[in-house]
Amino acid sequence: MFSTGPKKKKNNPRTPPTLSDSPVTPSPLRRTSFNDTAIPNRPPTGTPAPWTPRLSVLARVPQVNRNGKEDDNDPIKPVFVSEFPKVVCDEQATSLQRRVSFEDCGGYGGIDKSTSLAWIICGSKVFVWSYLSPASSMNCVVLEIPFNDVANYDTGSWLVSVVNCDSSSFGSNKAAKHVAVVLCNRKTRAVIYWPDIYSQSSNAPVTSLASSDELEAVGEKTPFKRQTRQSKQETDLTELNAFNSVIASVVPGYSLACIALACSSSGELWQFECSPTGIRRRKVYEIISHFPLKGGDLGKLVSNKGYPRSLTWRFPYHSSKESNRQFLVLTDCELQCFRVEFSSGMNISRLWSQEIVGTDAELGIKKDLAGQKGIWPLDVQVDDHGKVITILVATFCKDRISSSSYMQYSLLTMQYKSGLDVESTNERILEKKVPIEVIIPKARVEDEDFLFSMRLRIGGKPSGSTVIISGDGTATVSHYHRNATRLYQFDLPYDAGKVLDASVLPSADDYEEGAWVVLTEKAGIWVIPEKAVILGGVEPPERSLSRKGSSNERSAQEETRNLTFTGNFAPRRASSEAWGSGDRQRAALSGITRRTAQDEESEALLNRFFNEFLSSGQVDGSLEKLETSGSFERDGETNVFVRMSKSIIDTLAKHWTTTRGAEILSMAVVSTQLLEKQQKHQKFLHFLALSKCHDELCSRQRHALQIILEHGEKLSAMIQLRELQNLISQNRSTGVGSSNSNVDIQMSGALWDMIQLVGERARRNTVLLMDRDNAEVFYSKVSDLENFFYCSDAELEYVIRPEHLLAIQIQRACELSNACVSIIRTCFDYKNENHLWYPPPEGLTPWYCQPVVRKGIWSVGSVLLQFLNDTSGLDKTVKLELYNHLEALTEVLLEAYSGAVTAKIERGEEHKGLLNEYWERRDALLESLYHQVKEFEATYKDSIVVAEEFNEEATMKITSHLLSIAKRHGCYKVMWTICCDVNDSELLRNVMVRLTT
């Protein structure tokens, strides 16, 4: 990539090398040493060295930590996510032992964005797995290609389409439960279909071979033998009829049915109707292309590969209720739109076409310019909303003055005109959204094979960035920022293989883009963080999108001269215009939070003083020096004391290992780590008190001090959750007997599922955690405890599923309710025990009063409420358990609402809407609870055999507790009803007095 390698460390010659001491890629500043490397032909890039075998626990230890010091990670490095599943690694190793290259054995792979599944073809097998899953729980599906029946020598020529058949997961971050796979061979046109890769019963594929007439038409005599002696004309004809692109879609209303579409260079559009009973194939259209049959001025560039080049759905996500679906076809000069009718025999019709390469520059790319010798539209992509179309274009040019030839790469971005009916207008449908963006103005000349191997991906972070994947193995991120395009290139040494595909990491929030994720040939899966693209990008010099280097060596020398060292960021290659002005320019970059030199000085001072306090107990002169450094000038999350507090509670345990998965929950090391954090955080509070920093924060930065103490609350709550998980596991192990393993017991229950969901959300939000286990991330990221309540709302249907038995649903709802109550009550207890530490509360909203927390509690409470009100025939003991959980949940929810309303009133903010919501939910919960109390009382009176838990004393106790909650939150309707029912005139008089005052 366009960044330097990590800093070199001095190695002890007496110490044998370890896996973590693998060689690093040479820095671009040391081009003279390139030929001296141990491995020849390694590209001079700064990508870390993932190509050596290593354990996952070593994979996540940064090289800067080898000497025991914990330096800041280079913000422009890619992040290692995961290695391949073991079965893939074993297959690759077997192929290597047979001395078969990865490409020769079918070394092709990709990432499907809609399902977050990665796939690799190796030999006669297709390996499909979820790259988001931690290493401990990664499940890989192995699909056997019927090698002898279908492909034989053409295993490296497959086009793969992964189909999401689970309508409930369309456009969401939920894992698809039903996935189909379609394989289509480029040359032999053989089609293989797996209706459901997760079903054991339908694991056998359905196959379809091209007929003899079809093979004769495309220049193939037989699907099993490769022609060894062909004339140039025959070879060109075969390549012209090879399939270029395949897309597939589920057919709404038909179980296990899909439709696949493929286009060939000759302009043929083929349709494959796939079902478990067979595959129906037919040619449905002949797309007219305008490519030249002879080279002319282009010379060797034109090899008659032809068009169309790319297929894509107009709307990436579609509803299962839609009766038709539209798709786009990219030709040599047009963009064409077709529609497939699912409800009428899968008929395909063309809706419209629009010229994108022509004489009118306003419509797209202008041709016949001086020096322009050829234009290639290479790939087309549509955004998730189906509104923006991006086309990658290559142009071959010749400078008439210097007679030098070069390639120019551009992005053409189109959008639909507003107010047009696509099906009834003959007008032009598309218009330019922005002017054509030139990615590289002058690049080395490539042949047509390389050009047509390029693929385009859109939609990742930074917003609006694109990735171009070249056929020889690089991924270049293009980002248009501040009126200039910057490029960031992910590359690997040649012995580490190529980049196979790139996609967008699903974001934890639906409205945000995710980071770019890259699938490599031999080095696993990596993520390119947003910071890397923004901080590590360079303005495009004369360079290629391939691994062959620049067409002008002067580019590398200019980059070396323009290298600057700015702020606290690692050295990188950049142009002087982009980075010459230093921190002033970097501060203007959007989306990245930056620390000034003053922040760095304050943080370093605080860290030094705190460490001295830990070792000696002395705090002499700390306050004055910290105040001079500006430590008390920022409030809230950016305060230096808050950052220190957060670093304490969010520390990642270096000795935890991701390969042990659920076993980590049964390890005492988790509880020990949390207790160590609690002790250190308490010492940090003592440091603040002894150094008088606490008084300063209390008077000047109340919000910052509140956040620091809330970190202590969350840490105590996390410890309580850990103990709760232990208790649940112990109870289950006692109840189920010895037939279930300890790991199975740990990996069951609502709390375990919620831990997985919260950990997964944190991993997606922070790509540096992608190599960690979900449970490990959950117990480490203490400051993000709000996400527990976010997932309690957003993912509740995943934890409490309708297909579960009613008893299981109730059990899981109670378990989740107990966890929510435990968190909030632990925070109450911490606040009561440490109330002297807290700043004056006026106008401050506690974290557990935030909307995300209230919403999560209410969602769980709604489920309990539904079980109580709508479920008949429940056992009385079960009903009482539901009541107790709902009462506890109601208590903490109303306290959260009360705190939020009070803070808004103290700040003078509008609070009427929140107050109405508070009252409505208060009344709904308390009235329902009292209704249940009346039912309990009726059961007690009508029952001949009086159950112990429903006696009169227990009923009065429940009523008294409910009355106290109603009094505390002013629910006078319930108070009045209770007073009348118990015939307590004194209590009724007190209620009436409160009503009239």
Side-chain angles (χ1 to χ4, degrees):
M1 75 184 76
F2 298 154
S3 59
T4 60
K7 300 176 183 178
K8 296 191 69 176
K9 299 291 181 181
K10 295 182 180 179
N11 296 324
N12 187 347
R14 297 183 181 181
T15 304
T18 63
L19 291 175
S20 60
D21 292 319
S22 58
V24 295
T25 309
S27 167
L29 298 180
R30 300 178 62 250
R31 291 178 182 270
T32 55
S33 64
F34 173 70
N35 295 326
D36 299 331
T37 54
I39 302 175
N41 298 324
R42 180 178 294 161
T45 66
T47 304
W51 59 91
T52 56
R54 57 186 174 175
L55 300 174
S56 60
V57 69
L58 293 176
R60 68 168 190 256
V61 178
Q63 296 185 2
V64 295
N65 286 338
R66 287 190 226 155
N67 58 3
K69 297 181 180 180
E70 189 172 348
D71 300 330
D72 290 336
N73 291 328
D74 189 342
I76 66 170
K77 285 183 180 178
V79 177
F80 180 75
V81 173
S82 65
E83 296 173 354
F84 294 141
K86 187 177 184 301
V87 288
V88 178
C89 298
D90 292 343
E91 184 69 22
Q92 291 180 344
T94 302
S95 300
L96 190 62
Q97 292 173 359
R98 296 199 306 260
R99 298 180 181 273
V100 179
S101 69
F102 189 53
E103 288 188 1
D104 291 341
C105 69
Y108 298 91
I111 301 179
D112 179 69
K113 183 178 178 181
S114 65
T115 58
S116 299
L117 294 178
W119 57 267
I120 275 183
I121 299 179
C122 193
S124 61
K125 298 176 182 177
V126 184
F127 301 90
V128 186
W129 72 98
S130 172
Y131 67 88
L132 295 178
S133 301
S136 59
S137 58
M138 188 175 290
N139 179 32
C140 183
V141 177
V142 182
L143 305 175
E144 286 281 352
I145 299 177
F147 193 82
N148 296 328
D149 298 333
V150 177
N152 210 6
Y153 297 105
D154 289 309
T155 57
S157 300
W158 292 104
L159 295 169
V160 180
S161 182
V162 178
V163 185
N164 184 359
C165 301
D166 185 2
S167 59
S168 63
S169 67
F170 288 161
S172 68
N173 289 329
K174 298 176 182 177
K177 302 175 184 178
H178 178 193
V179 175
V181 171
V182 178
L183 266 69
C184 183
N185 196 278
R186 294 177 184 269
K187 299 178 181 178
T188 66
R189 300 194 172 196
V191 178
I192 309 176
Y193 175 58
W194 283 269
D196 187 357
I197 63 173
Y198 296 128
S199 173
Q200 297 294 331
S201 59
S202 60
N203 211 14
V206 183
T207 61
S208 172
L209 301 178
S211 65
S212 57
D213 293 340
E214 182 181 338
L215 292 174
E216 288 288 341
V218 301
E220 287 284 353
K221 302 299 181 182
T222 170
F224 303 127
K225 295 182 181 179
R226 179 175 298 172
Q227 302 298 323
T228 56
R229 293 183 180 180
Q230 289 180 313
S231 66
K232 178 67 167 61
Q233 183 178 1
E234 289 174 336
T235 303
D236 289 344
L237 183 61
T238 300
E239 292 178 346
L240 201 62
N241 286 279
F243 282 147
N244 293 327
S245 180
V246 167
I247 56 175
S249 171
V250 62
V251 178
Y254 293 89
S255 178
L256 305 178
C258 289
I259 182 172
L261 302 163
C263 63
S264 67
S265 299
S266 62
E268 294 180 353
L269 182 63
W270 282 78
Q271 174 181 315
F272 304 96
E273 299 171 22
C274 306
S275 69
T277 58
I279 300 174
R280 180 191 177 195
R281 55 194 303 143
R282 57 179 174 142
K283 184 172 72 173
V284 293
Y285 209 85
E286 190 82 27
I287 300 172
I288 301 176
S289 297
H290 304 84
F291 57 89
L293 295 179
K294 295 184 179 180
D297 293 335
L298 304 184
K300 66 175 183 178
L301 283 178
V302 175
S303 58
N304 293 336
K305 291 290 182 183
Y307 282 87
R309 297 310 314 169
S310 179
L311 296 174
T312 187
W313 296 110
R314 182 186 168 189
F315 298 99
Y317 305 110
H318 68 105
S319 170
S320 58
K321 299 179 180 179
E322 293 179 357
S323 61
N324 63 79
R325 196 171 184 188
Q326 299 177 18
F327 62 94
L328 303 176
V329 182
L330 180 67
T331 74
D332 59 329
C333 64
E334 287 183 335
L335 196 62
Q336 302 185 9
C337 181
F338 292 80
R339 178 177 59 194
V340 54
E341 294 283 353
F342 297 128
S343 58
S344 58
M346 306 295 175
N347 289 332
I348 291 180
S349 57
R350 192 171 79 161
L351 295 180
W352 55 264
S353 65
Q354 181 165 325
E355 189 178 58
I356 59 172
V357 178
T359 56
D360 189 350
E362 294 298 321
L363 298 179
I365 300 173
K366 186 175 178 59
K367 65 178 182 179
D368 299 330
L369 296 176
Q372 187 185 90
K373 298 298 181 182
I375 301 175
W376 290 267
L378 301 178
D379 197 9
V380 60
Q381 292 283 288
V382 183
D383 72 329
D384 289 344
H385 304 289
K387 296 180 179 179
V388 180
I389 301 172
T390 307
I391 304 169
L392 174 65
V393 181
T395 307
F396 175 57
C397 304
K398 190 170 185 178
D399 192 320
R400 293 182 296 176
I401 299 177
S402 62
S403 296
S404 61
S405 299
Y406 59 89
M407 301 296 299
Q408 184 178 95
Y409 298 98
S410 309
L411 289 176
L412 173 62
T413 305
M414 311 287 287
Q415 65 183 4
Y416 290 92
K417 292 182 179 180
S418 60
L420 288 182
D421 186 353
V422 173
E423 300 183 15
S424 62
T425 182
N426 293 322
E427 300 181 26
R428 294 186 177 99
I429 300 297
L430 305 175
E431 63 182 0
K432 278 187 182 179
K433 183 180 181 182
V434 294
I436 295 176
E437 177 189 346
V438 178
I439 301 173
I440 299 182
K442 288 187 177 182
R444 64 176 294 128
V445 177
E446 309 283 0
D447 59 27
E448 205 173 43
D449 285 327
F450 177 80
L451 294 179
F452 284 150
S453 71
M454 288 186 180
R455 287 163 292 158
L456 179 67
R457 300 290 182 264
I458 64 173
K461 286 185 177 179
S463 180
S465 60
T466 61
V467 166
I468 300 118
I469 306 163
S470 67
D472 65 346
T474 64
T476 303
V477 186
S478 171
H479 175 226
Y480 188 78
H481 178 74
R482 295 179 65 85
N483 299 321
T485 298
R486 290 186 172 86
L487 304 179
Y488 179 95
Q489 192 174 64
F490 181 95
D491 195 0
L492 293 168
Y494 283 95
D495 51 323
K498 302 186 293 187
V499 172
L500 298 179
D501 200 0
S503 185
V504 178
L505 188 70
S507 173
D509 299 310
D510 295 337
Y511 56 86
E512 290 185 354
E513 295 96 347
W516 287 108
V517 60
V518 177
L519 173 69
T520 68
E521 187 177 336
K522 302 175 184 177
I525 294 178
W526 293 73
V527 162
I528 304 175
E530 181 181 12
K531 282 187 178 181
V533 179
I534 294 179
L535 301 180
V538 300
E539 292 184 8
E542 296 179 17
R543 122 173 358 263
S544 173
L545 290 171
S546 70
R547 310 170 90 174
K548 301 174 184 177
S550 172
S551 61
N552 188 341
E553 289 303 321
R554 185 168 56 90
S555 302
Q557 299 169 4
E558 287 177 354
E559 289 173 12
T560 301
R561 288 197 302 268
N562 292 333
L563 184 67
T564 59
F565 296 82
T566 57
N568 64 325
F569 299 110
R572 63 189 62 84
R573 289 192 278 177
S575 70
S576 57
E577 181 181 348
W579 300 99
S581 54
D583 284 335
R584 179 175 57 83
Q585 288 281 355
R586 289 191 293 110
L589 289 175
S590 61
I592 303 295
T593 302
R594 311 196 184 284
R595 294 178 291 178
T596 64
Q598 186 183 42
D599 294 331
E600 296 295 329
E601 180 186 358
S602 300
E603 193 164 344
L605 274 175
L606 178 58
N607 188 55
R608 177 164 65 86
F609 290 146
F610 180 52
N611 286 328
E612 289 176 357
F613 170 74
L614 292 178
S615 59
S616 65
Q618 301 298 318
V619 293
D620 297 337
S622 301
L623 177 62
E624 293 76 11
K625 293 179 180 178
L626 287 169
E627 190 168 15
T628 303
S629 69
S631 299
F632 298 96
E633 294 181 3
R634 289 198 182 192
D635 199 4
E637 295 284 351
T638 58
N639 181 277
V640 64
F641 296 97
V642 172
R643 292 205 303 267
M644 172 65 76
S645 173
K646 185 174 181 179
S647 69
I648 292 172
I649 67 170
D650 285 348
T651 301
L652 295 170
K654 300 295 189 294
H655 50 281
W656 291 1
T657 170
T658 60
T659 57
R660 303 178 71 172
E663 295 180 22
I664 196 170
L665 288 180
S666 62
M667 296 165 55
V669 67
V670 181
S671 298
T672 303
Q673 170 80 356
L674 291 172
L675 290 174
E676 288 175 353
K677 287 183 178 183
Q678 190 177 49
Q679 293 171 3
K680 189 173 183 180
H681 193 263
Q682 196 66 27
K683 290 178 181 178
F684 180 66
L685 293 179
H686 292 158
F687 165 76
L688 295 180
L690 293 174
S691 64
K692 306 298 182 181
C693 292
H694 179 272
D695 296 339
E696 199 70 20
L697 288 171
C698 194
S699 61
R700 295 172 57 180
Q701 276 92 19
R702 290 191 305 128
H703 187 206
L705 182 58
Q706 182 197 32
I707 295 174
I708 293 172
L709 291 163
E710 286 178 347
H711 286 162
E713 295 175 10
K714 293 177 180 179
L715 194 51
S716 296
M718 190 67 78
I719 293 173
Q720 183 61 34
L721 273 184
R722 175 77 183 106
E723 297 305 316
L724 182 61
Q725 176 66 28
N726 281 338
L727 182 62
I728 292 172
S729 302
Q730 291 171 7
N731 293 338
R732 278 212 183 88
S733 61
T734 304
V736 300
S738 58
S739 60
N740 293 59
S741 68
N742 188 46
V743 173
D744 293 335
I745 294 168
Q746 296 285 347
M747 295 178 62
S748 60
L751 182 54
W752 166 258
D753 287 345
M754 193 57 63
I755 287 171
Q756 292 295 304
L757 291 168
V758 179
E760 177 71 16
R761 176 176 170 82
R763 287 172 66 237
R764 293 187 187 182
N765 281 340
T766 309
V767 294
L768 293 172
L769 300 173
M770 285 300 295
D771 190 39
R772 300 248 176 178
D773 185 81
N774 288 337
E776 180 183 359
V777 172
F778 173 80
Y779 282 116
S780 297
K781 297 289 287 182
V782 178
S783 66
D784 291 336
L785 191 55
E786 292 95 337
N787 283 336
F788 186 91
F789 297 93
Y790 173 88
C791 293
S792 296
D793 174 54
E795 306 290 347
L796 190 60
E797 62 179 10
Y798 176 83
V799 179
I800 305 173
R801 300 182 182 178
E803 61 265 25
H804 287 156
L805 295 175
L806 179 61
I808 299 298
Q809 293 184 49
I810 293 176
Q811 178 188 2
R812 294 174 75 85
C814 292
E815 186 177 320
L816 199 55
S817 171
N818 193 24
C820 293
V821 172
S822 297
I823 291 174
I824 305 301
R825 284 183 173 172
T826 302
C827 293
F828 290 163
D829 294 341
Y830 182 92
K831 194 168 188 176
N832 292 333
E833 293 174 5
N834 301 275
H835 65 278
L836 296 177
W837 290 93
Y838 282 79
E842 288 76 20
L844 297 178
T845 303
W847 78 271
Y848 49 78
C849 298
Q850 298 291 343
V852 63
V853 179
R854 302 195 310 265
K855 195 173 182 181
I857 298 175
W858 170 251
S859 295
V860 178
S862 299
V863 173
L864 294 176
L865 201 60
Q866 182 180 356
F867 286 145
L868 271 174
N869 295 335
D870 301 342
T871 307
S872 59
L874 282 180
D875 183 81
K876 298 180 180 63
T877 305
V878 174
K879 273 212 166 188
L880 182 59
E881 183 183 8
L882 279 171
Y883 175 90
N884 290 332
H885 281 290
L886 182 58
E887 185 186 64
L889 203 66
T890 298
E891 196 169 5
V892 297
L893 176 61
L894 296 183
E895 289 296 330
Y897 268 108
S898 177
V901 171
T902 301
K904 276 185 172 290
I905 293 174
E906 290 171 346
R907 292 194 298 266
E909 298 176 359
E910 171 60 38
H911 59 277
K912 185 176 180 181
L914 178 62
L915 194 60
N916 288 333
E917 182 181 297
Y918 170 34
W919 290 341
E920 288 175 4
R921 293 184 175 178
R922 176 201 64 189
D923 294 345
L925 289 167
L926 292 180
E927 288 176 12
S928 179
L929 286 172
Y930 187 62
H931 176 72
Q932 292 301 321
V933 172
K934 297 296 290 181
E935 285 193 0
F936 293 155
E937 187 177 8
T939 302
Y940 157 69
K941 292 179 178 179
D942 296 341
S943 177
I944 300 175
V945 180
V946 179
E948 181 180 350
E949 61 269 22
F950 292 115
N951 56 32
E952 186 175 0
E953 182 181 352
T955 304
M956 288 302 298
K957 186 177 180 180
I958 293 174
T959 303
S960 176
H961 189 206
L962 184 61
L963 182 61
S964 67
I965 298 175
K967 288 174 63 178
R968 191 160 60 249
H969 295 281
C971 188
Y972 299 113
K973 183 178 180 180
V974 171
M975 292 168 61
W976 175 280
T977 306
I978 292 176
C979 293
C980 294
D981 290 342
V982 299
N983 197 22
D984 190 333
S985 59
E986 183 64 27
L987 184 60
L988 182 59
R989 187 179 298 111
N990 293 336
V991 172
M992 292 297 296
V993 169
R994 295 191 61 181
L995 280 170
T996 56
T997 57

